[in-house]
Amino acid sequence: MNEGVAIEWLMLADAAQVVGNKLYVLGGGWDRYSVNRPFPATIPLSVAVSIRVPWHETNQRHTLTLEVQRDEGQTIHQMTGQFEVGRPPGIPQGIDQRVQLTLTASLKVDGPGIYRILGKIDDQEKAHTPFTIVARQTATPPKPPQQI
């Protein structure tokens, strides 16, 4: 017996969209972002989400909440939306349904550190994925040779 609506995965990407329940991703699967400007900084962020909806929870409205948190649990950004998955004609009884969604944000970060995306469905935590923000180190140019 299924436990309920579940998040199968969360993926960080530079850009993502869903067309016809097919996921299209550009620069996906990263877990570290290098910032080459002073902090605080704003970074673009797309999150692709795959949700498995059991047969008995189709045709019901659900709420998806994604929170971006600092390592210590402080929420710095939140995105919320609703979804409802129907039963397509001809599908065998009892089959789970998959819905894929993407959310995009301009995320303001105060500094380097460990962050995480927390996924909730109907206010229950279902998944999370960590990522790290680092300050990009700029290379120092070599010193010119000394004249004798």
Side-chain angles (χ1 to χ4, degrees), residues 49-69:
V49 184
S50 178
I51 300 169
R52 183 63 68 175
V53 180
W55 176 268
H56 67 277
E57 292 201 42
T58 57
N59 298 321
Q60 297 176 40
R61 189 168 299 244
H62 298 280
T63 301
L64 169 67
T65 303
L66 296 180
E67 294 179 6
V68 181
Q69 297 180 340

Side-chain angles (χ1 to χ4, degrees), residues 41-124:
T42 301
I43 64 168
L45 173 73
S46 287
V47 182
V49 184
S50 178
I51 300 169
R52 183 63 68 175
V53 180
W55 176 268
H56 67 277
E57 292 201 42
T58 57
N59 298 321
Q60 297 176 40
R61 189 168 299 244
H62 298 280
T63 301
L64 169 67
T65 303
L66 296 180
E67 294 179 6
V68 181
Q69 297 180 340
R70 292 291 310 234
D71 191 37
E72 59 275 357
Q74 174 194 11
T75 298
I76 62 169
H77 190 82
Q78 182 173 310
M79 301 172 275
T80 301
Q82 294 188 327
F83 65 94
E84 183 174 337
V85 180
R87 299 175 183 163
I91 192 168
Q93 185 171 350
I95 298 295
D96 291 353
Q97 301 296 302
R98 171 181 285 150
V99 61
Q100 298 184 102
L101 306 165
T102 59
L103 295 114
T104 300
S106 293
L107 181 64
K108 184 178 179 182
V109 293
D110 291 332
I114 299 171
Y115 295 78
R116 74 179 186 150
I117 303 288
L118 176 68
K120 296 179 181 180
I121 296 179
D122 301 328
D123 292 324
Q124 293 184 334

